[in-house]
Amino acid sequence: MIKKEVAHIRKQFKLDNDLLKIDDILNVYIMKETNEIYHWERQPFELLDREKQELYMGNFKKLLTGELDHKLFELKFQADTGEPTRVMLHQGLSTGDPEEWQDLMLMLVDKMMEDAKYERDTVVTFVRGTYYRPTKARNEEAEETGKDEVFGHPFILCSVNSTEKHRKTLLFDYVEKEFKYNVIVDPIIKLSTPEQGFFYPSVTDNYSDVNRILYCTGKSNDPNPHFIEQVLNAERSMTAMEERGVFEEIVKEVAGEQLDAATLAHVYEEINAVIESNQEAEEPPRLDYKDVERVLTVSGVEDVTPEKVERAFETVVDDRNYELKASSVIPKFSSKSIKINTKVATISLSPQDLRYVKQVNFQGKRCILIEVDEDAVIEGFTLTTETLL
């Protein structure tokens, strides 16, 4: 699954969209004290008030917002599990009976409550429906448009949302002309900040892939292992942060603990070039030990050999054939994603600007030296330029 496919799906969740049809919605309320289902209800989505539909559409779009391997994770199902979730979801996807779909989703909620303790009352929302994708590009000159031929993709979406109590407020009653204490005991369902959920099936090359599922988490680089392994029965994958850590350890094994900023900038530029040259590829580019050896060599790291990099892979991940996602191992290239933290200041810069940074020894003290093209201005004052001998 690539980000364009995720973006296309997310874009469909809006009202009055003829490329999206949501059939049913099922809401399940779980009490934190008893860890049991307190109430559930299912109804056709089109029978909801329009205001409710808008709230849910915002929730679904928010759930599917984020970067792959940061907040969205395409996962494979585990091979051997009893009563696998994959079978339940596939049955729910295939059945035309709303009650059978409802019962299957309630069974899934039972799995969510096993060995799990919720800190707040929680609402689990399921919808089933179909989104449509044009089978050809729009031709402005032809009488037919790209929407004349579409292919339907049935799906099930799940959003897990916590609740919170109303804040204590003071109201003014215009009729009685008095101040009143606002007492509302009904909890608020936090639809704007879903905690986690999933979209099934995943998509590969614009086709539904029933052997994979898109897991979504509310916090970047913080997937829920219990939900992934015990509820979805899926195989956990590395987050982008974890994969970057693996890459850093591999580079340290090969080049040592210290690198100058210019060399590091070169490494990031080489990997970014790989990403840019594969933007239209069906799968995101990956780096094996041969690719990492090439990147380090052309970046100026000394004494790099394929054998040394291969051993580093075996040491760090215990797999010489492991492939790193190129997009995960470098900071965001187009923004000031690198932070240099010191006792007196925090410096933010983009990866390609690392070449203008050096750590130098001046009069026995370590200093950060940054090359600039213009005068530095602080609080409206232009700093004087000193010449260091």
Side-chain angles (χ1 to χ4, degrees):
M1 195 169 198
I2 59 176
K3 61 182 181 181
K4 286 184 178 180
E5 291 168 334
V6 177
H8 173 79
I9 295 171
R10 180 174 61 247
K11 195 168 118 180
Q12 304 315 312
F13 285 95
K14 57 187 177 184
L15 296 182
D16 305 320
N17 177 17
D18 57 1
L19 292 179
L20 175 72
K21 183 179 185 298
I22 297 181
D23 299 310
D24 295 284
I25 182 168
L26 170 67
N27 282 306
V28 184
Y29 195 99
I30 301 173
M31 295 287 288
K32 69 172 183 178
E33 288 85 0
T34 61
N35 204 39
E36 294 178 350
I37 295 176
Y38 177 74
H39 175 71
W40 62 263
E41 65 178 30
R42 171 187 56 81
Q43 63 186 124
F45 189 79
E46 62 183 10
L47 295 185
L48 293 178
D49 296 338
R50 187 174 179 87
E51 291 76 11
K52 285 185 180 180
Q53 291 181 351
E54 289 178 348
L55 287 173
Y56 283 117
M57 286 296 189
N59 173 248
F60 305 150
K61 185 171 290 189
K62 185 70 174 180
L63 181 72
L64 296 171
T65 298
E67 295 185 53
L68 288 168
D69 302 315
H70 291 261
K71 295 184 72 174
L72 307 175
F73 300 85
E74 186 184 37
L75 307 176
K76 295 179 181 178
F77 288 105
Q78 297 170 6
D80 301 315
T81 54
E83 298 182 2
T85 296
R86 177 178 58 83
V87 174
M88 295 166 55
L89 289 173
H90 194 268
Q91 289 176 349
L93 201 68
S94 305
T95 183
D97 184 355
E99 290 193 4
E100 182 182 0
W101 172 76
Q102 159 201 297
D103 294 340
L104 288 166
M105 296 306 101
L106 289 174
M107 290 171 60
L108 190 54
V109 174
D110 288 338
K111 294 185 70 170
M112 293 182 190
M113 295 186 296
E114 290 179 8
D115 304 319
K117 183 64 179 175
Y118 293 96
E119 296 180 359
R120 300 181 181 89
D121 288 0
T122 299
V123 175
V124 184
T125 300
F126 297 94
V127 292
R128 68 179 187 131
T130 305
Y131 73 93
Y132 299 89
R133 194 177 189 103
T135 58
K136 62 180 180 179
R138 177 184 289 270
N139 186 345
E140 300 293 343
E141 297 180 358
E143 293 183 2
E144 293 185 354
T145 68
K147 288 186 178 180
D148 290 328
E149 295 183 16
V150 294
F151 187 80
H153 297 264
F155 70 88
I156 294 174
L157 181 144
C158 168
S159 179
V160 180
N161 306 280
S162 63
T163 64
E164 64 180 359
K165 295 180 180 179
H166 278 270
R167 295 179 181 177
K168 297 178 181 179
T169 57
L170 195 64
L171 302 179
F172 180 71
D173 189 326
Y174 278 102
V175 177
E176 300 295 334
K177 294 184 178 180
E178 63 177 336
F179 295 96
K180 291 183 178 180
Y181 176 64
N182 186 30
V183 181
I184 301 178
V185 296
D186 296 333
I188 299 172
I189 302 171
K190 299 168 66 176
L191 291 178
S192 60
T193 55
E195 294 195 342
Q196 61 183 341
F198 64 80
F199 182 91
Y200 174 83
S202 182
V203 178
T204 300
D205 193 22
N206 297 329
Y207 290 96
S208 296
D209 186 348
V210 296
N211 295 311
R212 297 172 186 259
I213 188 168
L214 183 67
Y215 168 75
C216 317
T217 179
K219 296 180 180 179
S220 185
N221 289 294
D222 188 27
N224 186 327
H226 176 269
F227 194 92
I228 290 174
E229 297 170 6
Q230 302 303 319
V231 178
L232 299 181
N233 303 138
E235 299 176 2
R236 189 181 182 280
S237 64
M238 278 194 188
T239 67
M241 183 180 295
E242 291 170 336
E243 198 139 63
R244 188 179 303 174
V246 167
F247 176 72
E248 291 171 357
E249 290 302 316
I250 290 173
V251 174
K252 288 178 182 178
E253 286 285 329
V254 176
E257 293 285 335
Q258 295 184 336
L259 277 181
D260 62 76
T263 301
L264 191 56
H266 249 119
V267 171
Y268 290 155
E269 287 173 355
E270 286 295 326
I271 296 176
N272 186 65
V274 172
I275 296 171
E276 289 188 339
S277 63
N278 289 273
Q279 285 185 342
E280 301 302 322
E282 295 180 3
E283 291 290 332
R286 294 178 176 269
L287 306 173
D288 60 16
Y289 75 89
K290 295 179 182 178
D291 297 317
V292 173
E293 183 268 333
R294 183 194 66 80
V295 167
L296 296 181
T297 299
V298 299
S299 299
V301 179
E302 298 180 352
D303 301 324
V304 179
T305 64
E307 294 75 20
K308 186 182 288 188
V309 180
E310 184 179 353
R311 284 196 302 271
F313 269 73
E314 291 177 344
T315 300
V316 177
V317 290
D318 196 28
D319 183 2
R320 63 183 291 272
N321 295 315
Y322 185 82
E323 295 181 340
L324 298 157
K325 282 189 178 179
S327 59
S328 296
V329 301
I330 63 172
K332 290 183 180 178
F333 206 74
S334 58
S335 64
K336 297 185 183 297
S337 55
I338 293 179
K339 300 289 188 291
I340 301 176
N341 296 307
T342 70
K343 183 174 65 176
V344 297
T346 298
I347 305 167
S348 301
L349 67 163
S350 58
Q352 64 264 38
D353 291 335
L354 271 176
R355 66 178 70 214
Y356 303 115
V357 178
K358 291 182 180 180
Q359 180 171 279
V360 299
N361 189 305
F362 175 66
Q363 296 181 352
K365 297 180 180 180
R366 280 194 300 270
C367 301
I368 297 293
L369 179 66
I370 303 177
E371 179 185 336
V372 295
D373 294 329
E374 65 284 328
D375 288 331
V377 178
I378 299 178
E379 297 294 331
F381 295 95
T382 301
L383 295 184
T384 57
T385 301
E386 303 178 33
T387 301
L388 304 179
L389 299 178

